[in-house]
Amino acid sequence: MRLQQRIVAFVRAASIEITTSDQHHLPALRDLLPAGSSIYISHVPSASLVQVVKTALAVQAAGFQATPHIVARRINYPENLRTALAELLAHEVEQVLLVAGDTEHAAGEFDSTLDVFASGLLEKSGLKRIGVAGYPEGQRGIGPTLLANALKTKQEFADRTGLPLFIVTQFGFNGSALRNWEPELARMDVRLPILAGIAGPAPLSKLIKYAMRCGIGASLRAVMHNLSAVGAIAELATTPEQHVMRLMQLPSSTRVVAPHFFSFGGVIETAKWVNRVAAGNFTIDAAEAGFLVGR
């Protein structure tokens, strides 16, 4: 398959992320994204779990596959989670993304995603698929051993329950991060499919702000120390075009199945980018290091 065709097929499988305040964009998103596309609903600190569920139901009703974030540390009581999952399933929302959350203290008894897995609520809920976070560049404040053990435990949960899990990675600036990370997963016998997290089109200054907030690793330091020469650093990728091209270079054995776009407040701009690339409206440069998206 030609490179351009591979890129088109890859981006057509993309998911994007919105917040509860983006619900009014759903009519426009219906015009830009294929029916049934996955739209994730981020649980930002200013929103409640009830609002996340409400937005997920609106996303599902608009013809998309809603995937709400379930943030372990923001759940006050197990009953709140049980109620939220029951409401989602009653409206055919069958997929969630389970993350720990970045708050310093847990609101209830769930301090991590492992606590939620251990509660037994997930396998009893009727969910069909569960996403978990992956950190190819590491995560501030969490050592690599803890991150590795958490993924191994989640793989064991999937094997034991038969409930399909998949990984959604954090975005970063290292275009080679997934190539370096996948062999580590293989050594741990972590076999979950991977959605590659990519920042949608946005100014570098905005991406740096979100990268600092998300605690991504070494590539942020490389960007901060070399702002005047970002384009000359071989491993760095600061645009979605560069990231997609790097993902096209992964070996055929890769477990990366699709991109996941973080819109960072620019959901319509991200959806327009996905729409144009999925339609083949782009030109690959001569060095095959990137591509130019049409208007």
Side-chain angles (χ1 to χ4, degrees), residues 102-154:
D102 54 7
T103 56
E104 186 175 354
H105 301 291
E109 63 184 69
F110 298 133
D111 191 56
S112 71
T113 56
L114 297 184
D115 292 336
V116 180
F117 279 109
S119 72
L121 290 173
L122 296 177
E123 58 262 49
K124 297 173 184 176
S125 68
L127 286 170
K128 297 293 179 62
R129 294 167 298 278
I130 299 173
V132 296
Y135 300 97
E137 297 186 39
Q139 172 70 339
R140 182 181 60 213
I142 307 176
T145 301
L146 284 176
L147 289 174
N149 288 340
L151 276 179
K152 287 192 285 188
T153 300
K154 291 163 188 175

Side-chain angles (χ1 to χ4, degrees), residues 2 60 80 112 170 199 216 225 247 256-257:
R2 292 174 50 242
Q60 192 77 14
N80 294 130
S112 71
Q170 180 59 277
I216 67 170
H225 287 105
L247 292 169
V256 175
V257 295

Side-chain angles (χ1 to χ4, degrees), residues 173 204 208 219 221-238 242 246:
F173 297 114
L204 181 58
I208 289 172
S219 67
R221 293 191 290 275
V223 169
M224 295 297 289
H225 287 105
N226 300 276
L227 281 174
S228 62
V230 164
I233 303 173
E235 287 193 342
L236 290 184
T238 58
Q242 291 171 325
R246 295 292 181 84

Side-chain angles (χ1 to χ4, degrees), residues 191-203:
R191 295 163 268 106
L192 306 178
I194 301 169
L195 304 189
I198 301 173

Side-chain angles (χ1 to χ4, degrees), residues 1-156:
M1 186 185 296
R2 292 174 50 242
L3 178 57
Q4 182 141 1
Q5 293 173 314
R6 290 173 57 217
I7 293 171
V8 167
F10 186 63
V11 173
R12 281 180 179 170
S15 54
I16 70 168
E17 198 159 290
I18 69 171
T19 68
T20 55
S21 62
D22 290 322
Q23 186 173 326
H24 65 284
H25 288 310
L26 287 175
L29 293 176
R30 289 184 67 178
D31 293 333
L32 292 169
L33 301 174
S37 295
S38 290
I39 295 183
Y40 288 57
I41 302 90
S42 178
H43 188 170
V44 297
S46 60
S48 67
L49 179 57
V50 170
Q51 290 172 311
V52 171
V53 170
K54 180 181 177 182
T55 303
L57 300 189
V59 167
Q60 192 77 14
F64 297 108
Q65 181 186 54
T67 306
H69 288 202
I70 300 296
V71 182
R73 290 183 183 174
R74 293 192 190 137
I75 298 169
N76 299 89
Y77 305 103
E79 187 58 33
N80 294 130
L81 177 56
R82 186 181 291 107
T83 299
L85 293 177
E87 185 169 5
L88 291 170
L89 268 296
H91 292 83
E92 299 182 336
V93 177
E94 300 174 331
Q95 175 172 292
V96 301
L97 175 63
L98 180 63
V99 296
D102 54 7
T103 56
E104 186 175 354
H105 301 291
E109 63 184 69
F110 298 133
D111 191 56
S112 71
T113 56
L114 297 184
D115 292 336
V116 180
F117 279 109
S119 72
L121 290 173
L122 296 177
E123 58 262 49
K124 297 173 184 176
S125 68
L127 286 170
K128 297 293 179 62
R129 294 167 298 278
I130 299 173
V132 296
Y135 300 97
E137 297 186 39
Q139 172 70 339
R140 182 181 60 213
I142 307 176
T145 301
L146 284 176
L147 289 174
N149 288 340
L151 276 179
K152 287 192 285 188
T153 300
K154 291 163 188 175
Q155 178 68 67
E156 291 164 2

